[in-house]
Structure formats: C-alpha cells, structure tokens
Amino acid sequence: MIDGFLKEIANMFDFTRKDACEMMRSFQIEMENGLKGRKSSLKMLPSFVRRPKGNEKGDFLAIDLGGTNMRILAIRLLGQGKIETIGMRRFSLGKEIISKTEDVFFDFIADCVSAFLNEHKLDVFLEVGFTFSFPVIQTSILSGVLVSWTKGFAVKGVEGHDVVTLLDKAFKRKGLENLKLVALANDTVGTLVTQSYINPLCDMGVILGTGTNAAYPERLESITKFKGMWYSEEMIINIEWGGFDKIKMTKYDEQLDKDSENPGGQRMEKMVSGRYLGEIARRIMKEAFEKGLLGSKELKDIFLKPYSLTTEQLSLIASDKNIFNDSGIEGISDKDIRLLKEIGQIVSKRAARIASAAIAAVLTHMDKELKLEHVIAIDGSLFEKYKGFKENMDTMMKEIFPNQADKIHLSLTHDGSGIGAAIIAASLSSH
Ligand code: BGC
C-alpha cells in the first residue's frame, strides 16, 4: 500500500529533463515580455544597480529584511574585493511583528537598529544600505514601492507605499540622526553584487531560502520598458522569479495555493522555497494518514494543522534526526518516519530541479550557447543546509547541459544580501 502511494506521489512530482526544457522556453518568453513591459508572470524589475568594480571602500550599515530573521550588519569595505564584517546581529521577526501596522513595524526595525548601534558603540555618521526582499518597483536607487507582500508577511499600510520613506520616518521618530539611507536593494541583487565584488565572473544572484528569486545583469538596450536615466550599459534586473506560473502543478500545489494568503501569486515560490516545502509534505502526509497508511496516531494532530511541519524539520529528517523524540513526542514508528523522509525527498528534489531549470533559463538568456564560465552566487538555508539539495540541483544541471555543466559554478555566498547593500551604497560615491 505504502509503496503504491509513494510511487504515485513520486510520479506526480517528477520533474523530467523534458519538463525542464519546456519550462526554460516559457521562462525566457516571460523574461522577454517582462523586459518589454508586456503582461508577464516575471516582473523583471530594474534595480538601478550595476555590478561593482571591486574597488569600493568605506564603512556602512546594512539592514537586511526579508525573511524570518532581520540582520543588521556593520560592514567595512577595503577595496580589492576585501570585506570585513565589523558587527552583525540577527533579530527575529515573529508572527506578531509581521502582521502589525506600518508604523509599529518600522518602529520595531528602527529600535533594532538603535540597539545594534548602542551595542557596537557606533555613534558616527553612517550611510545605510537597505535590503528589502519583496517585489518593489523602484524609480531610483533610493525609492521603491512595495507591490505586494510575500512569504507570509502582512504588515498593513505598506503595499503601494515607498518603503524607504517609511523607514526614514521611523529613523526620525526614533532620533537616529546619524543615519542616512542611501540605497535600496533586493536580496538577490545584494547577493550578486557581493559575489561580483569578490569574483568578476559572477553574473547571477539567487536566493533559495524562505522565498526564492534571482537577479542578473541585463543590457540596458534590452530593457525596453525602462524610460529613466541610467549611466551604464548594464543594469541588474530583479526577476522576481517566484511569480513564474507556467509550470505544471500537482493537486497539492493547487490546494496550497488556494488556501494561501496570496492565491494565484508566487506559484513557483510555492513549489520551491523554504516557506512551503514543509507544508506540501504535510499535505501529502495528511492524505497518507487519511488513507490509513500511517501507524502512529500521534502524527495525526501534527499533520492536521496547516504549516505545522516546517521545511527546517523536513531537512532535519532528511539528515536522519528524530525531530519527534527531540520535541518529546514518542511512539512514532520507524516506518512512519521513513515515509515522511521519502516524501521530503520527493518534494525537495522537485524544488531543486525547478531551481536549476530556472537558473539554466537565465544563463542561456544571457549566453545562448553557454560559451562562457558562469559563477552563480547563491544564498539561503535550502541551498546551504538541506541535505541533498545542491546535489539534486547539480544533477538537473548535468541533465540539461550534458557537455557544459562544468562551466556553471553554484557558489554559496553567505550574508551576501546584506553586504551587497553596503557595496551598492559605496559604489554610489565612487562613480
Ligand atoms: C520576494 C523576492 C525575494 C525572495 C527571496 C520573494 O518572496 O518576492 O523579492 O528576493 O523572496 O527572499
């Protein structure tokens, strides 16, 4: 019985080479449409940033906001691709904070910044780079209107507003006079910029964490929808690939989407990113339970409640840690745990393969025949910590490019999202 069920799930979630090639074609069409300002599930947002030279210098503060943890960093850029982190602290953004009103939310951020400055005795004048990892339409490097929240964030009064103005007002309310916001960036842009600062071969930044997305440098002449002023021949584009919706979905994906806070939105993100993989697996486990395939009654309660199984737990199970024993839940049979592990594998394997197909689509958009070497800067807990995720990505890449996959280097870029904002801030004073 269980074997039959697993086989059925594995078939449903199979993402073959053929699926990848089809996805790459429609992904590239959506990219083109997005760049031309036509209807597309890829927003292709101009970032007002180009790749750095590597010689940018100075001390900066970076605020990195976009997942369950906000990070604040004091960064020293030494030039020649050298970066020193003077201080870094994580602040957890609990459910209560991410569903408050705009003023409470931004006051909380300003309070965290204030605590960080006190802790590190930083009372000097500091330029601040703000990484805000949500879809934002920018009209300059220092302004951007939030289109819609993603990843479960639901702070009221921010959608449709300029997030730089909101943060700046909170700084003023909290008397943070020595801070000057100078740059706003997406985490993918920050990650790309950080790796390019160190390695000029880098031409893509990818996040595989709570959410997923990517950025790459585009030739200005191809961004035909862009009517503003820009001083360089290239501009980094924030693809917002989490929104890609030309992709085959299972009934579990459909249901998850329907029940989510943003139905119809972030379809690819809901199949790939950390916020959702645990939830997909939970839905499958619930069905297994209803079909009488699970022995342990204790599991029922766990699998009944939406989002009660996190991707982090799934990742621990993948590494053979017994999360149930650790949380004092006893009596779960090995057989049930094995089923959960297999389901986790199926769900995370598809996620990794879709991520690789999306990267492949962007690479062949930039370099049709893959003539060059490409370094892809990747940050995020899925890529970094989920057992087998990177290997699954590598395997898909080899299937897509049997003879050229060795030209593609997936490179973990820690804290790139925050550090990148500092580099962008520095590059503003150097061009
Ligand atoms: C957001 C992106 C972000 C990604 C990774 C998505 O939900 O829309 O802007 O880059 O998450 O953090």
Side-chain angles (χ1 to χ4, degrees):
M1 276 280 269
I2 289 198
D3 286 350
F5 179 71
L6 266 177
K7 204 156 174 217
E8 201 186 309
I9 300 289
N11 278 340
M12 254 190 246
F13 280 78
D14 198 14
F15 187 77
T16 61
R17 177 175 195 272
K18 185 164 166 274
D19 293 327
C21 294
E22 273 166 23
M23 175 181 152
M24 284 167 64
R25 269 193 293 278
S26 46
F27 198 96
Q28 288 179 339
I29 295 172
E30 293 283 273
M31 284 178 80
E32 291 292 348
N33 284 339
L35 289 171
K36 292 188 175 121
R38 296 192 187 137
K39 193 172 172 299
S40 168
S41 63
L42 297 176
K43 292 192 176 67
M44 307 298 284
L45 302 169
S47 69
F48 293 84
V49 175
R50 66 162 187 195
R51 279 174 292 176
K53 299 197 181 95
N55 59 1
E56 293 78 1
K57 284 187 187 153
D59 290 354
F60 299 89
L61 191 75
I63 302 172
D64 181 6
L65 173 70
T68 33
N69 286 309
M70 170 173 69
R71 281 174 293 198
I72 301 183
L73 306 98
I75 300 291
R76 176 159 297 160
L77 302 173
L78 302 162
Q80 291 171 328
K82 292 204 183 65
I83 303 163
E84 201 182 299
T85 303
I86 302 169
M88 201 273 269
R89 185 163 157 198
R90 284 195 164 78
F91 295 85
S92 153
L93 297 176
K95 185 109 191 110
E96 53 313 333
I97 294 291
I98 64 171
S99 40
K100 282 269 163 46
T101 51
E102 161 273 307
D103 45 346
V104 178
F105 180 72
F106 282 99
D107 275 355
F108 175 80
I109 298 173
D111 282 337
C112 296
V113 172
S114 182
F116 179 86
L117 294 177
N118 287 338
E119 188 182 318
H120 292 275
K121 303 199 174 28
L122 288 167
D123 53 3
V124 290
F125 173 80
L126 276 174
E127 291 188 332
V128 184
F130 181 28
T131 306
F132 184 75
S133 309
F134 298 94
V136 160
I137 296 186
Q138 295 197 224
T139 41
S140 73
I141 186 62
L142 196 55
S143 60
V145 170
L146 174 65
V147 182
S148 51
W149 285 116
T150 57
K151 300 175 276 197
F153 276 62
V155 183
K156 293 166 203 76
V158 188
E159 287 180 352
H161 295 270
D162 181 357
V163 292
V164 175
T165 309
L166 296 180
L167 181 58
D168 197 41
K169 279 188 180 159
F171 280 180
K172 299 238 157 66
R173 286 197 294 273
K174 297 287 173 181
L176 295 170
E177 309 282 324
N178 58 328
L179 298 185
K180 187 177 170 218
L181 278 160
V182 295
L184 170 72
N186 187 261
D187 51 357
T188 54
V189 177
T191 302
L192 163 56
V193 163
T194 302
Q195 187 59 248
S196 317
Y197 186 73
I198 305 163
N199 183 348
L201 283 182
C202 177
D203 56 5
M204 203 173 159
V206 175
I207 301 290
L208 286 163
T210 313
T212 186
N213 187 15
Y216 73 103
E218 181 58 272
R219 286 172 307 135
L220 192 63
E221 60 188 28
S222 302
I223 318 171
T224 48
K225 69 176 171 187
F226 182 72
K227 302 284 181 255
M229 294 287 287
W230 183 241
Y231 64 94
S232 163
E233 279 167 12
E234 79 168 39
M235 189 191 281
I236 296 175
I237 291 288
N238 165 15
I239 302 175
E240 284 296 333
W241 79 17
F244 183 64
D245 64 3
K246 310 278 174 294
I247 192 166
K248 135 184 134 181
M249 271 173 260
T250 68
K251 60 176 185 184
Y252 304 100
D253 303 306
E254 298 286 359
Q255 269 306 325
L256 182 150
D257 175 57
K258 243 197 200 141
D259 299 342
S260 70
E261 63 279 310
N262 53 350
Q266 300 299 94
R267 301 296 295 248
M268 184 172 123
E269 182 158 88
K270 286 171 183 157
M271 300 166 83
V272 171
S273 86
R275 175 145 199 275
Y276 302 100
L277 296 190
E279 176 59 7
I280 302 175
R282 182 198 68 85
R283 285 168 180 264
I284 303 171
M285 287 302 280
K286 181 168 167 270
E287 190 174 311
F289 193 86
E290 284 158 0
K291 288 197 156 137
L293 298 175
L294 285 177
S296 330
K297 275 197 275 337
E298 296 78 356
L299 283 179
K300 180 166 171 229
D301 292 342
I302 303 175
F303 294 133
L304 227 47
K305 210 172 127 233
Y307 293 90
S308 56
L309 179 70
T310 63
T311 305
E312 195 183 343
Q313 287 169 324
L314 212 55
S315 158
L316 288 170
I317 292 168
S319 311
D320 287 320
K321 304 238 164 50
N322 190 328
I323 56 163
F324 301 108
N325 279 355
D326 293 349
S327 22
I329 305 166
E330 276 160 30
I332 313 282
S333 73
D334 287 350
K335 201 168 118 235
D336 290 354
I337 293 184
R338 230 174 306 133
L339 178 66
L340 181 54
K341 186 174 169 185
E342 298 238 14
I343 288 175
Q345 250 154 21
I346 293 174
V347 169
S348 62
K349 181 172 165 194
R350 183 187 66 165
R353 291 172 70 85
I354 294 176
S356 274
I359 292 175
V362 180
L363 289 180
T364 45
H365 167 87
M366 288 190 283
D367 173 9
K368 203 158 184 263
E369 281 152 24
L370 221 59
K371 289 199 171 127
L372 308 169
E373 297 267 321
H374 297 272
V375 173
I376 326 289
I378 311 189
D379 201 0
S381 45
L382 262 188
F383 181 75
E384 186 186 353
K385 297 197 180 131
Y386 201 113
K387 189 165 174 225
F389 201 90
K390 178 170 188 299
E391 291 70 16
N392 280 326
M393 285 183 72
D394 287 338
T395 308
M396 176 88 271
M397 219 46 117
K398 282 191 197 117
E399 284 175 35
I400 298 175
F401 302 116
N403 304 316
Q404 291 152 303
D406 55 350
K407 287 187 176 158
I408 304 167
H409 311 279
L410 307 182
S411 165
L412 178 68
T413 307
H414 251 311
D415 288 333
S417 46
I419 295 171
I423 300 171
I424 294 165
S427 70
L428 294 173
S429 31
S430 73
H431 73 249

